[in-house]
Amino acid sequence: QVQLVESGGGLVQAGGSLRLSCTAPSRIFNRAAMAWFRQAPGKEREFVAVISRSGGSTAYGDSVKGRFTISRDNNKNTAYLQMNSLKPDDTAVYYCATKSQILTAPITRDDRSYDYWGQGTQVTVSS
């Protein structure tokens, strides 16, 4: 079983920042696009951001565009989600996910396409 290790969640005031990390085994990470999704209580899982296997392409959900930045460090097998200007509506459990892809494949926001998932990390933004 593939284990993705997430960290960096916590409690922050509105307007603050957090950085989430997700580490995957190298055999998975080096061949995969990395994405973040989130799920708030009583709501469906929502796409947050994705970065391609090469790191050359990214995409963001409309609600986080301009505030969140996804990146990856291929030497550390780790993807990051830098979250700035946090709002109470950002409160959710955040999950990282991987999708194996060839270098030329397009990135996707569809959570059904992702192969492996982390356990989730709680982000709580107080007003």
Side-chain angles (χ1 to χ4, degrees), residues 38-45 88-93 122-124:
R38 68 186 183 185
Q39 189 165 22
K43 295 187 177 181
E44 293 186 353
R45 188 158 56 192
D89 284 349
D90 294 318
T91 296
V93 177
Q122 177 70 46
V123 171
T124 303

Side-chain angles (χ1 to χ4, degrees), residues 105-116:
I107 49 179
T108 178
R109 302 165 182 241
D110 185 351
D111 60 354
R112 296 169 298 179
S113 299
Y114 286 80
D115 307 308
Y116 301 107

Side-chain angles (χ1 to χ4, degrees), residues 89-100:
D89 284 349
D90 294 318
T91 296
V93 177
Y94 284 70
Y95 299 91
C96 72
T98 69
K99 173 180 169 52
S100 296

Side-chain angles (χ1 to χ4, degrees), residues 30-87:
N30 292 333
R31 295 176 171 80
M34 301 293 293
W36 291 93
F37 294 83
R38 68 186 183 185
Q39 189 165 22
K43 295 187 177 181
E44 293 186 353
R45 188 158 56 192
E46 176 187 13
F47 167 76
V48 176
V50 60
I51 186 166
S52 64
R53 173 179 166 182
S54 68
S57 296
T58 58
Y60 297 90
D62 289 343
S63 61
V64 307
K65 201 172 297 183
R67 300 186 298 122
F68 291 10
T69 302
I70 190 170
S71 61
R72 63 188 295 157
D73 184 337
N74 290 344
N75 291 324
K76 296 182 178 180
N77 303 328
T78 300
Y80 303 98
L81 183 69
Q82 178 66 43
M83 306 185 294
N84 298 330
S85 302
L86 283 161
K87 306 174 181 179

